[in-house]
Amino acid sequence: MTPRIFKKSATFLFIFFISSCLYAQNSISGKIITHDLKQASNANVLLLNPFDSTLVKGIITNNEGAFSFQNIADGKYLISCSYAGFETVYFPDINLSAKNSTTDIGTLTLKPEMVNLKTVTVVTKKPLFEQKIDRMVVNVKNSITSAGGTVIDVLQKSPGVTVNKQAGTISMNGKNGVMIMINGKINYMPPEAVVQMLSGMNASNVERIELITTPPAKYDAAGNAGYINIVLLDNPDIGFNGSYSVTIAAWYGTSPSANFNFNYRTKKANLYGSYSFVRPDKIFTRTIDNYRKVIYQGNITETNSRSNRDPLRVVHNIRLGYDYQIGKKTTLGLLTAAYDNKWTMNAVNNIYKQVNNKPDTIIKVNNNEINQWKHWMGNINLQHNISSDEDITFNMDYLYYDDNNPNTYYNQYYNPANQLLGSENTRSAKKTIIKILPAQIDYKKKLSAKAELETGIKTVTSTFTNDVSVENLIQSSWKADSSFTAIYFLKENISAAYASVKITAGEKTNIKAGLRYEYTSSDLHTKTQKNIVDKKYGKLFPTFYISQKLNDASSVNFSYNRRINRPAFTDLAPFTIFLDPYTFITGNSALQPSIADAVKADYILKKLVFSVGYTYESNPIGAFQTEVDVASNKQYITSKNFKSTQTIDASLSLPLTITKWWVSQLNVNTAWQKTEADYKQKPISITNFNYNLSGFQNFTLPKNFAVELSGFYQSAGLFGTSVAKAFGQLNAGIQKKFVRNSSSLRFGVDDIFSTMKWRWAFNLPKENFYTNTQIQLSRRIFKLTYSKNFGNKALKDKRTRITASEEERLRVK
């Protein structure tokens, strides 16, 4: 895809989204009171389509029990009002036929709840993106274009999120150091393993994804860019119920997938589980192109390489949990989960080397690779409600990871006349075992009507073994290369304590402040070399948040937080992967943790959210960074620390309801960044301004049909000290719902123009070299997905729970 087509696609998206601004200015208002004439503050009020009960808008009442829907299109509507302990009341037959009209439905009175909710079913539909005060919510379950895809596909479409599959990194708003949570549990896997895991996780098993930019003190201090919380489907219905889906996908390769989840709930017990399967074949990272130019002693050496890859990934995910209410105030939970993610690849790499514009050497490499991650986890959770205003929760996890990554290489060297000069056989192996034991206790108490306290302690013990080797075939025998062969051991302990208080300072002012302390001890060594890494440090991490309501329609927020980004376990341990005889991927045991201080301000006007922030990060970690030895023409790709990175970012979220059948949202994220670094002890500085456009259009058609168009465009931005070029994606889908048997059929196409190409360049003229790399991450694919819900639909509240290992699982990659 050429830059011109990129720009046209971005312009098309922008014009299409901006066209959404043409809508009516009708309003609907009213007031809700209880049967004893008390004002029902914070009651839920839903504006629904009377034909199928789909959600148009949702709002909560203010302190006086009043509500007001603004900017409502012409049409017929139904209002639903619900309040804890009271029957839901409906106000039907609202007909808006004149633009700029104001309708007051008066006062609605709620009666105490008397009926069995098992017979009540309310169908609502959430938009694809929802902007909350501290997070952006991506409602995956309701997305037509997400059906049949993976979680990593959904993240690539999310506002401000950038995924680099090859480097194994995920960033938000231009900042690295994102922590991944699953159902509120921090993931301790290294970043590239997380990317692999999410590439094999079926999106049909996901309810929503939360992009949290300002985490509270309760969460671990790791994650300079914030948290991404992936919330899996967890049916709150009583009885036995669940859902399943099957997808066939093909065009450039195939990607069949399936998932199944179930829930069996009684008054005291709940058994739930899920299984998913994904098998993308020839879908991801088909080609890698790398160009390198070096100048040494007056000679210009240019190296062009292309890797034609034939990748296959097979992923199985399983999850099983059980909750039991021991008493009226105590609940015990058990959870286990596992996955098997096997990547196999056959690649043919062609390398062309020329010196002073004259052909010099041709190298052909046959590379076979297996990278298989296996994971098992167990969690025990005990929650006790001391009183209605006080509770305590205990969590303990055990996490086990096993990565087996063997490679074989057959290198053939030719002269410019294509005559064989020689050949060599090389093989490498990397066996990684990671064990993590986190435990935490959280305590929460309501101190008064206007104050709430949260506090807790946590400890994490991690062990890591990395067995790496490189061998060469010499006279029919494999000989180990001692410079690349060793067994590395890492032990790390993190102890933490936190406290935070939430205060209602007035009718319109809320304050939340917290402080977290973490002490870290790390030791990396081999059998013969001690103290490769020996670090002991303690840090304080404050958080502060204040929200001021200006009126019923607008408010402002301000927040400050300090975060830490620790090196991934597998980046610290030395290893070597050969892309070709001149290009290597290596570990870096000298990596240091980075610290980021961030401030952020928000202005909310109804559903429009505008945010601006500033972040200063010291010792930021850049993945997949380049170093070149110009004398040997060798390129090393590794993770590195820089001096600092400054980021000024701004975002705008604009959701619009144009008509009762057309819903739209435009998200705009911009960032200015400056990175200071050293290259071979020489200072370098690089600045960049970039932007990200994302959004969707959803059209509700007659006879339960719906159409969705979604996409994003990311302009050129910083990738460490390299510059990543622009890329984007446009997706479309159509859905048919079958109401009688609770099923749906979705047909979609992802990456319509095959524009998911990750390209970056590193140019240091003073160091006499230039590199340019391009990776075709994915291409156009067509998907057909059938989904069905089954079982009882009577409503019952589900228990919210997290585990102790939400952060730790992100450090395994």
Side-chain angles (χ1 to χ4, degrees), residues 328-331 383-388 390-393:
K328 291 183 178 180
K329 296 183 177 182
T330 307
T331 302
Q383 181 176 319
H384 178 68
N385 296 322
I386 301 171
S387 67
S388 59
E390 188 177 11
D391 64 70
I392 188 169
T393 303

Side-chain angles (χ1 to χ4, degrees), residues 171-241:
S171 62
M172 277 200 302
N173 299 326
K175 294 179 285 186
N176 292 322
V178 176
M179 301 301 297
I180 301 294
M181 297 193 296
I182 298 178
N183 282 355
K185 290 176 56 63
I186 296 173
N187 194 302
Y188 293 95
M189 296 175 64
E192 66 259 29
V194 171
V195 171
Q196 289 187 19
M197 178 189 70
L198 300 181
S199 297
M201 184 179 290
N202 198 315
S204 299
N205 259 349
V206 177
E207 181 177 338
R208 67 182 184 276
I209 295 176
E210 299 173 340
L211 312 177
I212 307 171
T213 54
T214 310
K218 179 179 180 179
Y219 290 138
D220 291 6
N224 290 344
Y227 280 71
I228 295 178
N229 185 27
I230 300 167
V231 181
L232 303 179
L233 291 172
D234 187 5
N235 202 315
D237 302 342
I238 199 167
F240 182 76
N241 43 61

Side-chain angles (χ1 to χ4, degrees), residues 48-52 54-56 72-77 657-663 698-701:
L48 307 174
N49 185 321
F51 303 104
D52 58 5
T54 55
L55 179 66
V56 178
I72 307 301
D74 294 345
K76 294 182 179 181
Y77 297 96
T657 301
I658 301 149
T659 69
K660 63 182 180 182
W661 50 267
W662 184 0
V663 177
N698 190 282
F699 306 91
T700 301
L701 306 179

Side-chain angles (χ1 to χ4, degrees), residues 603-618:
Y603 174 69
I604 298 99
L605 177 62
K606 298 175 183 176
K607 287 190 174 183
L608 184 148
V609 181
F610 174 74
S611 303
V612 62
Y614 171 77
T615 302
Y616 180 87
E617 184 175 1
S618 59

Side-chain angles (χ1 to χ4, degrees), residues 636-671:
Y636 300 90
I637 300 171
T638 187
S639 295
K640 295 176 61 177
N641 283 109
F642 310 128
K643 284 185 177 179
S644 66
T645 295
Q646 298 182 69
T647 303
I648 300 175
D649 59 273
S651 63
L652 175 67
S653 174
L654 184 62
L656 299 171
T657 301
I658 301 149
T659 69
K660 63 182 180 182
W661 50 267
W662 184 0
V663 177
S664 169
Q665 178 153 333
L666 172 65
N667 305 295
V668 181
N669 296 79
T670 63

